[in-house]
Amino acid sequence: MNQEIRVTNYPEVLTDRASHYCPGCHHGIAHRLVAEAITELGLVDKTILIGSIGCSVFIYNYLSLDAIESPHGRAPAVATGVKRARPDKIVFSYQGDGDLASIGMAEIMHCANRGENITTIFVNNTVYGMTGGQMAPTTLVGQKTTTCPGGRCRENEGMPIRMTEIIASLGGVAFAERVAVNNIKNIKKAQKAVTKAFECQTKEIGFSFVEVLATCPTNWRMTPIQANKRIETEMIPYFPLGNFKDVLAKEEK
Amino acid sequence: MSTPKRIFVKGNEAICHGALTAGAKCFFGYPITPQNDIPEFMSAAMIEAGGQFVQAESEVAAANMLLGAAGCGIRALTSSSSPGISLKQEAISYMAGSEIPGVIVNVSRGGPGLGDIGPSQGDYFQATKGGGHGDYHLLVLAPGTVQEAYDLTIKAFDLAFKYRNPVMILADAIIGQMKEPLVPWIPQGLDPDEGQDWGLQGAKGRAPRLLKSLFLDDGALAGQNEKLAAKYRAMQVETDQELFLTEDADLIVVAFGSIGRIVKSTIRKLRAQGHKVGLVRPITLFPFPSAVLLDLARQGKRFLTIEHNMGQMVEDVRLAIRTVADSAFHGQLPGNLPTPDDFEQPILKALEG
Ligand SMILES: Cc1ncc(C[n+]2csc(CCOP(=O)(O)OP(=O)(O)O)c2C)c(N)n1
Ligand code: SF4
């Protein structure tokens, strides 16, 4: 007889409702990682979510936290205001690659450089998902999008930006890691990284940043399985996974 | 508490004292003339007051920091001058849409573009007609003296929280840079729980709070905009203006801020010569004192609007009195500091009709 066994539960902060994300989209996994991290660290009661503009604009429907919506790209500035007003709270922004690495480049750089005790979850899917898959600063060379139909070309559009490496180079940063959620092994690592990032915030040692390499099957014109494979075959070779800065680990040594 | 003494300060500094005494706890700024005294003063004073000062990377960021801080239900402000105020408009629109009570100070200068760093009232339209995108209004307060810069800054916070709406203080290079005596006073009865019933603080033991301006569901934005419009109607009771010798006047001059106060001197001089001129100086630019103007128009008075621009507030004056009268206009060009003498001929000409 087949029996349904529940293999996992909803962390208390993750709402039990159907999401608006496309099948195979990694935003949902990234949400869950955040939910698990703040639940594990016992921070749910004191966490404030800074939303951004992109497919994750409705993140407040999935994480039951006090939340504020930011203009496109400005989440790190909004987060700075919230954290300065409420230094005893846990504050994190959740942003896509168009939001963070293009229009919001100034805000993320200076927030990180000031060493604000804030955590940023950066979901890099190499396109502007919500607006229909246009080219992002992270679009890979040769990748076709609706605004680079012939494929991104280095001569015209430049090279894709590697944010985690840039963020790690800034003085105010305590933690910077790039993760993927395309398989169990990577998800486990991602979970550790997100938890560590929030831990840095509780210890007030500076800005913490986790880049999540994510699928956008819809705009990549791929099936979820093909999209998942593309993370491994195309994205990770250009956006290497790993930790680029960990002040905590250094201190522990 | 010791009795406040008279101090001699610039308008910019008066705004800082006003904000601190009103209990502001966060200031976000960026350098631009002629408001630099404000962030310079605040960089030390805000910390001394146990608050936070951030020199942001841009006016865009400063305004968004304000969005966040005021979203926590605490008193916070940003200041800038015209080009910087343009950059803040995105966040101001979000504050209006999300009903977040940020206070924005514009010590305005000449424009358009980089303009100059001298006094101008060229930002009247931007301040009173929205400024950013969407269907909204700010409460707009226009000080005409250094004392008023202090008083209105305190009032700005009270109004911002009363209506959960952003408030703009529209000063100019004259008010900001001019030194005058100021008698500081301490506002009584600041509510320690202000903003705590809606501000962000972490959802401990209660349902989460959400501050947003996105309303996609069927009819949701219509509902929100109706709610905002009702708020703007309710704000009409806050209308404030100075009336100077209007009762027996044949001609009413309408002028705001620094120009209102300079025109007052011209009127004193003309009165001494027997000319029946009076002044209406709007102190709130939104809501606008339309009812007061209409009442005066119904008494058969004539109107002259004087501004330090090529004609912006005059449109509101004309709209207010349109059923019974019209207003003449005199525009003072930017690039100089007007004196009472500059307004004598325009007023005499209007008196002749
Ligand atoms: C000022 C402004 N410019 C443009 C937009 C339109 N817009 C909405 S979402 C979006 C792209 C978001 O893409 P990304 O950050 O990569 O997130 P994703 O949707 O891929 O998760 C854009 C450009 C906007 N809302 N505001
Ligand atoms: S468009 Fe892309 S990023 Fe947006 S929900 Fe669909 S798959 Fe996810």
Side-chain angles (χ1 to χ4, degrees):
Chain A
M1 195 175 75
N2 280 337
Q3 205 188 344
E4 272 192 25
I5 306 167
R6 190 161 196 145
V7 291
T8 181
N9 277 312
Y10 275 83
E12 68 173 276
V13 67
L14 198 65
T15 60
D16 187 358
R17 67 192 284 178
S19 92
H20 72 289
Y21 297 115
C22 309
C25 174
H26 282 174
H27 269 303
I29 305 177
H31 288 12
R32 189 186 177 96
L33 292 178
V34 172
E36 285 172 347
I38 59 177
T39 303
E40 188 192 320
L41 296 171
L43 302 174
V44 171
D45 276 0
K46 56 190 288 198
T47 298
I48 300 175
L49 155 65
I50 316 296
S52 68
I53 310 290
C55 279
S56 65
V57 70
F58 292 120
I59 184 171
Y60 47 70
N61 286 338
Y62 311 124
L63 296 178
S64 50
L65 298 168
D66 271 16
I68 183 168
E69 168 192 277
S70 317
H72 195 21
R74 317 299 177 213
V78 177
T80 298
V82 169
K83 189 73 181 192
R84 295 297 182 118
R86 299 223 179 275
D88 56 329
K89 303 299 174 189
I90 297 298
V91 177
F92 78 98
S93 74
Y94 184 104
Q95 305 172 254
D97 47 329
D99 190 87
L100 181 140
S102 189
I103 193 168
M105 187 59 125
E107 284 77 15
I108 190 63
M109 292 293 284
H110 287 277
C111 177
N113 194 55
R114 279 192 304 270
E116 299 288 345
N117 280 304
I118 286 166
T119 302
T120 290
I121 307 298
F122 168 49
V123 178
N124 175 5
N125 60 16
T126 72
V127 284
Y128 284 75
M130 190 187 216
T131 40
Q134 295 83 359
M135 187 186 70
T138 43
T139 297
L140 294 171
V141 170
Q143 182 182 342
K144 289 180 178 161
T145 75
T146 54
T147 51
C148 53
R152 181 181 185 141
C153 121
R154 181 191 178 137
E155 289 68 35
N156 202 43
E157 286 100 28
M159 293 295 285
I161 294 178
R162 295 186 181 102
M163 281 310 300
T164 304
E165 287 83 337
I166 297 173
I167 294 292
S169 73
L170 300 173
V173 176
F175 185 86
E177 184 157 329
R178 184 181 290 117
V179 301
V181 291
N182 59 325
N183 59 44
I184 307 276
K185 197 175 108 232
N186 284 343
I187 289 176
K188 289 279 174 224
K189 281 189 194 161
Q191 199 173 29
K192 275 203 187 110
V194 172
T195 307
K196 264 192 154 177
F198 279 98
E199 220 179 317
C200 287
Q201 190 175 161
T202 61
K203 298 203 156 83
E204 301 185 1
I205 54 169
F207 182 76
S208 47
F209 186 86
V210 179
E211 173 174 349
V212 182
L213 299 184
T215 51
C216 178
T218 304
N219 289 302
W220 293 357
R221 312 275 189 268
M222 287 179 178
T223 64
I225 290 170
Q226 289 168 331
N228 222 39
K229 279 196 183 127
R230 178 178 181 252
I231 298 271
E232 199 73 51
T233 56
E234 293 180 34
M235 281 185 79
I236 293 176
Y238 186 81
F239 296 114
L241 302 185
N243 184 277
F244 293 83
K245 192 164 191 181
D246 187 351
V247 172
L248 261 188
K250 243 189 188 169
E251 276 173 6
E252 279 159 12
K253 266 180 206 163
Chain B
M1 212 175 289
S2 63
T3 332
K5 286 195 282 285
R6 242 160 100 100
I7 54 175
F8 190 62
V9 292
K10 282 185 183 181
N12 280 341
E13 208 180 313
I15 289 170
C16 297
H17 286 300
L20 291 166
T21 211
K25 284 282 174 276
C26 288
F27 177 91
F28 308 104
Y30 189 84
I32 184 169
T33 307
Q35 63 85 55
N36 289 322
D37 313 283
I38 300 178
E40 284 170 6
F41 187 94
M42 285 303 208
S43 62
M46 200 41 115
I47 306 300
E48 269 166 37
Q52 294 278 336
F53 168 88
V54 181
Q55 178 167 320
E57 58 272 26
S58 68
E59 289 89 345
V60 173
N64 281 287
M65 289 174 190
L66 176 62
L67 175 76
C72 294
I74 67 138
R75 293 188 166 203
L77 76 159
T78 186
S79 76
S80 188
S81 180
S82 309
I85 296 294
S86 292
L87 285 183
K88 293 185 193 292
Q89 294 301 337
E90 177 189 46
I92 293 173
S93 170
Y94 274 69
M95 280 184 239
S98 320
E99 301 189 74
I100 292 176
V103 170
I104 304 106
V105 179
N106 182 2
V107 185
S108 69
R109 58 189 247 181
L114 201 49
D116 67 12
I117 55 170
S120 160
Q121 296 183 325
D123 296 354
Y124 177 91
F125 279 154
Q126 187 195 49
T128 59
K129 308 299 174 193
H133 62 284
D135 200 353
Y136 76 93
H137 281 285
L138 307 177
L139 281 140
V140 185
L141 311 178
T145 63
V146 167
Q147 181 70 49
E148 226 173 47
Y150 179 86
D151 300 350
L152 291 182
T153 303
I154 297 171
K155 188 170 183 177
F157 285 102
D158 291 344
L159 291 176
F161 276 80
K162 180 173 174 186
Y163 293 101
R164 272 187 67 184
N165 201 71
V167 177
M168 178 169 283
I169 296 165
L170 183 59
D172 64 10
I174 300 177
I175 299 295
Q177 295 299 323
M178 175 176 64
K179 269 194 168 180
E180 275 189 318
L182 161 71
V183 183
W185 50 278
I186 314 284
Q188 299 300 313
L190 285 183
D191 175 8
D193 295 328
E194 181 186 74
Q196 298 316 297
D197 54 338
W198 58 262
L200 304 172
Q201 52 190 198
K204 189 172 183 176
R206 57 157 173 77
R209 292 175 181 165
L210 173 60
L211 299 175
K212 61 156 183 154
S213 58
L214 178 66
F215 295 92
L216 284 185
D217 291 347
D218 246 3
L221 185 62
Q224 175 70 359
N225 284 9
E226 245 175 356
K227 182 181 171 202
L228 294 180
K231 203 159 81 168
Y232 304 143
R233 282 195 296 276
M235 285 174 191
Q236 295 300 321
V237 300
E238 310 296 344
T239 306
D240 193 13
Q241 65 286 314
E242 178 190 1
L243 299 181
F244 180 63
L245 305 177
T246 52
E247 256 174 46
D248 66 337
D250 296 326
L251 179 76
I252 300 292
V253 179
V254 190
F256 76 95
S258 58
I259 297 299
R261 151 226 198 100
I262 296 167
V263 165
K264 201 170 164 183
S265 302
T266 319
I267 288 176
R268 277 205 191 92
K269 186 174 169 193
L270 292 175
R271 277 275 174 178
Q273 297 166 10
H275 298 291
K276 290 195 168 173
V277 195
L279 171 73
V280 174
R281 180 174 65 87
I283 294 170
T284 55
L285 301 182
F286 187 92
F288 191 69
S290 304
V292 170
L293 293 172
L294 181 58
D295 190 47
L296 290 166
R298 287 197 173 122
Q299 295 167 34
K301 299 179 193 299
R302 283 179 289 126
F303 291 82
L304 167 67
T305 304
I306 300 182
E307 296 176 72
H308 207 172
N309 60 43
M310 290 296 97
Q312 299 191 19
M313 181 179 70
V314 65
E315 292 189 6
D316 287 334
V317 176
R318 287 176 176 148
L319 202 59
I321 61 177
R322 70 190 181 283
T323 49
V324 270
D326 197 2
S327 173
F329 175 72
H330 174 72
Q332 180 73 23
L333 289 162
N336 62 1
L337 197 71
T339 67
D341 290 348
D342 289 325
F343 302 127
E344 219 175 292
Q345 284 312 314
I347 294 176
L348 286 172
K349 204 174 132 207
L351 266 170
E352 282 163 18

